[in-house]
Amino acid sequence: MDEVRQACAVCPPEVLEAILRQSFARDIEEIRLRNGQSISVTVRGEERKIQSPVVTGQWLEDTIARATGHAVFSAQHMLKNGFVTVAGGHRLGICGTAIVHGDEISGFKEISSVNLRIARQIGGIASKTADALWLNPRSALIIGAPGVGKTTLLRDLIRQLSDRFSFRIGVADERMELGASFNGRPQFDLGTHTDVLSGMRKETAVEYLLRTMSPQWIAVDEITAAEDIETMLRASYCGVSFLATAHAADREDLRHRELYRRLLSCGIFENLVTIRRDRTVVTERMST
């Protein structure tokens, strides 16, 4: 519940009041404010409307102002990606009319909706996976359907490899979700031997970490492009191991996706960690 209260600090007070009336408030994963509609929340992957006042354009503007510390200009580097990371590591996603210069989005206007994703750190969920990687300290790929907790598991795995086994880990936190750095300090505990590089594209961040921090492991969230794979392949020649996530329900789903077939053919990953829909975690050798 503390995480929900903290996240709602960027919202109008009416939002927190409506949320706290819900018996399932502590389980809320996302809060959506859509202009002209009542508040929606996501619980265990299911979106549902709750009884609340109708969201107004002023609510949306006020929420973004609070999230950026009333300094929208200084937060443009995040806004152009469609989200802002706020205190506690919570992330405010934004929809509206994009402001485009050339081929790049520089920001948004006429905001139509926002989505506040509640960030939680769950300690201990990666213990068995960490044990398996201690026995076979090679790159590990975490897969699962959207919303099953891949990033949460990856976050705890980074912490455990860092604290329990003293591995040096570099985190390429492109979307500022793993460390969720705020005012220069990660909002999540990623371990005492971990360095976090935020807001930089994966291909640039991985090379930067190799040159400057000499990591034994590099962690990235969400492999989504061929460039990500090529970057990891080049870095693997330097002896670094990877922790990464990908959207695939299971091993067979992974094989059927063109991008991930390339990933498998590279042989970067020796360990496969699957999060099933019931949230159970299975760690196995990729070759099995």
Side-chain angles (χ1 to χ4, degrees), residues 244-260:
T245 66
H247 288 299
D250 50 35
R251 184 193 292 261
E252 200 60 33
D253 188 21
L254 194 69
R255 291 194 180 111
H256 278 88
R257 302 193 183 208
E258 183 176 350
L259 175 67
Y260 297 145

Side-chain angles (χ1 to χ4, degrees), residues 28-101:
I28 290 175
E29 299 161 354
E30 296 177 336
I31 301 169
R32 296 178 185 268
L33 308 180
R34 296 185 176 100
N35 200 349
Q37 299 184 30
S38 58
I39 299 169
S40 293
V41 298
T42 302
V43 179
R44 298 184 184 89
E46 178 185 348
E47 184 179 338
R48 60 182 77 172
K49 293 286 186 182
I50 64 173
Q51 187 175 4
S52 71
V54 171
V55 174
T56 67
Q58 189 62 53
W59 277 23
L60 299 177
E61 291 180 13
D62 290 348
T63 298
I64 294 173
R66 291 189 185 96
T68 58
H70 298 275
V72 176
F73 179 78
S74 65
Q76 284 298 324
H77 66 289
M78 286 190 287
L79 285 173
K80 71 180 182 181
N81 293 320
F83 66 88
V84 178
T85 300
V86 302
H90 313 290
R91 197 177 81 170
L92 185 73
I94 301 167
C95 272
T97 302
I99 303 171
V100 181
H101 292 114

Side-chain angles (χ1 to χ4, degrees), residues 13-283:
E14 294 89 344
V15 175
L16 180 58
E17 291 172 8
I19 293 297
L20 293 181
R21 288 197 295 267
Q22 311 307 313
S23 60
F24 48 78
R26 67 177 62 255
D27 298 320
I28 290 175
E29 299 161 354
E30 296 177 336
I31 301 169
R32 296 178 185 268
L33 308 180
R34 296 185 176 100
N35 200 349
Q37 299 184 30
S38 58
I39 299 169
S40 293
V41 298
T42 302
V43 179
R44 298 184 184 89
E46 178 185 348
E47 184 179 338
R48 60 182 77 172
K49 293 286 186 182
I50 64 173
Q51 187 175 4
S52 71
V54 171
V55 174
T56 67
Q58 189 62 53
W59 277 23
L60 299 177
E61 291 180 13
D62 290 348
T63 298
I64 294 173
R66 291 189 185 96
T68 58
H70 298 275
V72 176
F73 179 78
S74 65
Q76 284 298 324
H77 66 289
M78 286 190 287
L79 285 173
K80 71 180 182 181
N81 293 320
F83 66 88
V84 178
T85 300
V86 302
H90 313 290
R91 197 177 81 170
L92 185 73
I94 301 167
C95 272
T97 302
I99 303 171
V100 181
H101 292 114
D103 294 329
E104 291 193 357
I105 296 173
S106 61
F108 288 84
K109 62 181 180 180
E110 299 172 351
I111 306 301
S112 58
S113 63
V114 298
N115 178 34
L116 184 59
R117 180 177 295 180
I118 312 299
R120 293 181 173 89
Q121 181 151 18
I122 306 174
I125 61 173
S127 294
K128 291 183 178 179
T129 302
D131 291 343
L133 295 190
W134 175 247
L135 296 175
N136 182 38
R138 300 291 186 271
S139 295
L141 180 66
I142 300 170
I143 64 172
V148 297
K150 294 185 294 296
T151 300
T152 304
L153 180 70
L154 174 57
R155 196 180 288 129
D156 191 54
L157 185 57
I158 294 168
R159 180 188 64 81
Q160 293 209 37
L161 292 184
S162 176
D163 283 348
R164 289 177 58 194
F165 306 134
S166 299
F167 285 125
R168 290 190 312 277
I169 303 179
V171 177
D173 200 3
E174 179 180 2
R175 301 192 309 161
M176 300 180 71
E177 280 197 283
L178 287 172
S181 294
F182 183 76
N183 290 337
R185 183 173 181 176
Q187 300 295 290
F188 294 113
D189 180 7
L190 296 181
T192 55
H193 302 281
T194 302
D195 301 294
V196 182
L197 183 59
S198 301
M200 188 181 290
R201 291 177 62 87
K202 292 186 190 72
E203 57 264 35
T204 307
V206 167
E207 294 178 3
Y208 186 95
L209 287 166
L210 281 174
R211 290 198 308 267
T212 61
M213 308 309 294
S214 62
Q216 295 166 285
W217 295 76
I218 292 179
V220 301
D221 199 14
E222 294 194 11
I223 298 172
T224 57
E227 292 80 6
D228 299 341
I229 297 172
E230 297 306 319
T231 297
M232 288 189 293
L233 181 59
R234 289 194 301 270
S236 68
Y237 297 146
C238 300
V240 69
S241 295
F242 278 92
L243 302 171
T245 66
H247 288 299
D250 50 35
R251 184 193 292 261
E252 200 60 33
D253 188 21
L254 194 69
R255 291 194 180 111
H256 278 88
R257 302 193 183 208
E258 183 176 350
L259 175 67
Y260 297 145
R261 281 202 299 273
R262 167 61 176 152
L263 180 66
L264 294 174
S265 69
C266 290
I268 300 171
F269 294 95
E270 291 190 26
N271 295 289
L272 181 66
V273 183
T274 304
I275 307 178
R276 296 171 176 167
R277 291 192 179 274
D278 62 1
R279 308 298 173 95
T280 57
V281 179
V282 177
T283 303

